Amino acid sequence: MKHAALWVILFSMPVRPASVPHSNRPAPSTQFADNSEVRSALAWFARNLAWINEQQSRLTEIPAPPFQEAQRAAAVKLLLASSGLEVQIDKTGNVIGEQTGNVIGELRGTNEKEMVVLSAHLDTVFPPSTEIKVRHDRDRLLAPGISDNGTGLAALIAIARACQESHIKPRRTILFVADVGEEGEGNLRGMRALIEAYKPKLKAVIVLDGSGTDHVTTKALASRRLEATITGPGGHSWSDFGMPNPINALVRASVRFINTKVPAAPRTTFNIGQIEGGTSINSIPYEAKLKVDIRSESEDELTKLESALRECIAAGVRDEMESSRERSKGKLEWKVELLGSRPGGELPANSPLLAALRSADEFVGNQSRVERSSTDANVPLAHGIDAISIGAGGTGGGAHSLQEWYEPAGREMGLKRALLVLLGVSGLAEGKAR
Ligand SMILES: [Zn+2]
């Protein structure tokens, strides 16, 4: 970029509100342009695009179903360590006893009392039986998980390596983290553990999730996942006819629940995503279950909707008991359990992290819109720690499907944008500018 153009950007930068303390201000990306290490890191990406694509394919082909991220974690650990970082795997653990946790690579800053995190989740939504082989169709890479979160992981590794090879010395310590348990019933457990461990020192969290450069998630969508279970004695379809039936009760309850009115603003949604129960066509079932996902821009609406579900299940059971001909043959029981909950939160409009992102966007010539979504950034945002989630460049589609794809064209811009926002909040060690 020409010098004149840099000055225009520098002086057209929005004036930050006076309420932002000086020490928390991000360094504008333009300020870095004269720093030889930063210039070298930015140039590193273009020279290494083929290597980055290779790492993305290789990591994508290592299965990482929920709660089984160990093998992929080990591969990421090796890659971060070979970039010269000090790497450890924390003890977040998983339910099947295999020791997997978040992979954490540390690039020490001059101020070790303050930290910033760059993260990408390791896990996919795909069960262990899914065949994952990356196919090439002209410029397109196809495989389940190739974009979500193959792109994020490849970017995490590339940015770490670009920093190390360019001898970047940050002011705040940077943690490069590949975390477990982002998807579904993983319930953000990796990010929760990370925040738990580093909260007092953490100044900002940048989450790399999927592809693109078109958005920045600054608002955390709150959600809850619930499971309703109705049980009864069960019996024979002919000889026990009239006995209360858990599936009948669940159907009665479901019809009540889906008629619940939810507001358009704040946007609130519900989805019955799974329903199961029964053993055979000619048996009165002894159990029926239902899984519901509820989401809202407002925690209050979420709480209301959760109570509505409980009331509907209770009412469905009551309706079934009242209409059963053989109440003496048994009673129905019910319970509603919380499978997971993602807290809500919002990045303040005047946060230094958002200013750093805007500055990075401007530097690379990108425009991005603010979004609300459910990501790893929910956890730090709920704790009042500045956090965003962004795509890591290129384009992708079909996330969470077997037809998922990724096209690397334009990846470089996403990598530069992520590096600049990271350095914007970490700052650079003083005396390093040339
Ligand atoms: Zn993802």
Side-chain angles (χ1 to χ4, degrees):
M1 190 176 292
K2 288 202 188 76
H3 240 89
L6 277 179
W7 284 114
V8 172
I9 291 170
L10 189 60
F11 287 109
S12 61
M13 292 252 309
V15 177
R16 265 174 229 95
S19 62
V20 179
H22 183 267
S23 61
N24 284 347
R25 282 185 192 176
S29 298
T30 41
Q31 176 189 309
F32 297 148
D34 285 334
N35 178 289
S36 62
E37 284 87 6
V38 177
R39 271 207 311 272
S40 141
L42 289 170
W44 187 92
F45 298 127
R47 287 198 314 276
N48 291 280
L49 288 172
W51 182 83
I52 299 169
N53 286 348
E54 257 169 58
Q55 302 317 310
Q56 179 164 352
S57 293
R58 202 168 66 79
L59 291 173
T60 300
E61 287 183 354
I62 303 174
F67 303 103
Q68 298 174 54
E69 301 99 331
Q71 215 190 331
R72 191 179 281 185
V76 171
K77 185 182 177 195
L78 275 179
L79 278 165
L80 289 178
S82 71
S83 300
L85 296 179
E86 246 175 66
V87 194
Q88 44 137 340
I89 294 187
D90 77 7
K91 297 201 164 47
T92 310
N94 65 32
V95 292
I96 56 170
E98 196 183 344
Q99 274 308 305
T100 318
N102 300 315
V103 184
I104 304 172
E106 188 176 318
L107 177 59
R108 208 161 293 166
T110 46
N111 176 1
E112 290 179 49
K113 292 197 185 86
E114 296 184 345
M115 291 179 159
V116 299
V117 162
L118 184 71
S119 78
H121 69 84
L122 282 165
D123 55 323
T124 69
V125 294
F126 303 102
S129 55
T130 315
E131 204 205 320
I132 305 173
K133 182 84 195 120
V134 178
R135 290 187 298 116
H136 294 252
D137 181 6
R138 269 168 277 177
D139 295 335
R140 194 168 268 209
L141 306 176
L142 295 116
I146 186 73
S147 173
D148 179 16
N149 196 18
T151 314
L153 289 170
L156 181 80
I157 285 152
I159 293 168
R161 194 160 280 208
C163 285
Q164 280 299 73
E165 292 193 5
S166 310
H167 310 289
I168 283 184
K169 181 74 180 166
R171 189 165 58 79
R172 290 171 169 160
T173 291
I174 298 176
L175 299 181
F176 293 90
V177 180
D179 59 309
V180 296
E182 191 270 344
E183 301 284 5
E185 290 173 28
N187 202 24
L188 311 181
R189 73 184 196 291
M191 187 54 79
R192 287 179 208 269
L194 191 77
I195 299 300
E196 194 66 36
Y198 293 98
K199 190 178 171 183
K201 293 182 173 181
L202 261 187
K203 298 299 167 194
V205 177
I206 299 156
V207 174
L208 299 170
D209 201 346
S211 309
T213 50
D214 58 342
H215 75 278
V216 49
T217 300
T218 60
K219 300 171 193 187
L221 179 61
S223 70
R224 290 183 201 173
R225 282 143 194 209
L226 300 143
E227 183 176 64
T229 308
I230 301 177
T231 52
H236 192 277
S237 64
W238 170 259
S239 55
D240 294 319
F241 178 66
M243 169 189 280
N245 177 324
I247 289 185
N248 291 1
L250 197 74
V251 170
R252 293 176 195 275
S254 301
V255 171
R256 282 174 177 265
F257 181 65
I258 62 182
N259 285 322
T260 306
K261 296 271 180 288
V262 289
R267 184 170 155 82
T268 303
T269 65
F270 58 80
N271 182 55
I272 298 183
Q274 274 180 297
I275 188 159
E276 62 184 53
T279 50
S280 75
I281 193 168
N282 55 348
S283 305
I284 296 170
Y286 58 84
E287 188 176 75
K289 286 180 177 210
L290 164 80
K291 284 186 186 174
V292 185
D293 166 285
I294 60 180
R295 300 180 179 218
S296 180
E297 292 171 354
S298 141
E299 289 278 353
D300 282 354
E301 291 298 332
L302 219 50
T303 303
K304 273 194 223 164
L305 202 48
E306 183 178 337
S307 335
L309 178 67
R310 289 176 195 280
E311 280 161 27
C312 291
I313 299 290
V317 166
R318 205 169 51 235
D319 292 351
E320 174 64 9
M321 288 299 295
E322 274 166 13
S323 60
S324 67
R325 294 168 175 80
E326 294 281 356
R327 246 175 287 175
S328 59
K329 285 196 171 172
K331 197 166 160 270
L332 296 180
E333 307 281 350
W334 66 273
K335 62 178 178 190
V336 172
E337 285 171 304
L338 189 64
L339 296 177
S341 110
R342 295 182 170 208
E346 207 165 312
L347 182 69
N350 65 353
S351 90
L353 176 56
L354 193 58
L357 185 274
R358 290 300 181 209
S359 174
D361 267 348
E362 210 161 335
F363 188 85
V364 300
N366 185 52
Q367 286 196 327
S368 55
R369 59 174 194 283
V370 164
E371 271 187 0
R372 182 187 297 274
S373 177
S374 178
T375 69
D376 262 339
N378 281 47
V379 181
L381 286 173
H383 280 90
I385 298 168
D386 284 4
I388 55 172
S389 176
I390 55 176
T395 46
H400 296 194
S401 84
L402 297 177
Q403 287 75 42
E404 192 170 343
W405 58 271
Y406 177 67
E407 276 181 22
R411 185 207 288 275
E412 207 188 322
M413 184 209 263
L415 293 169
K416 288 180 175 176
R417 177 183 185 233
L419 172 68
L420 288 171
V421 65
L422 176 66
L423 297 179
V425 287
S426 72
L428 292 173
E430 271 161 36
K432 294 287 281 185
R434 302 283 146 87

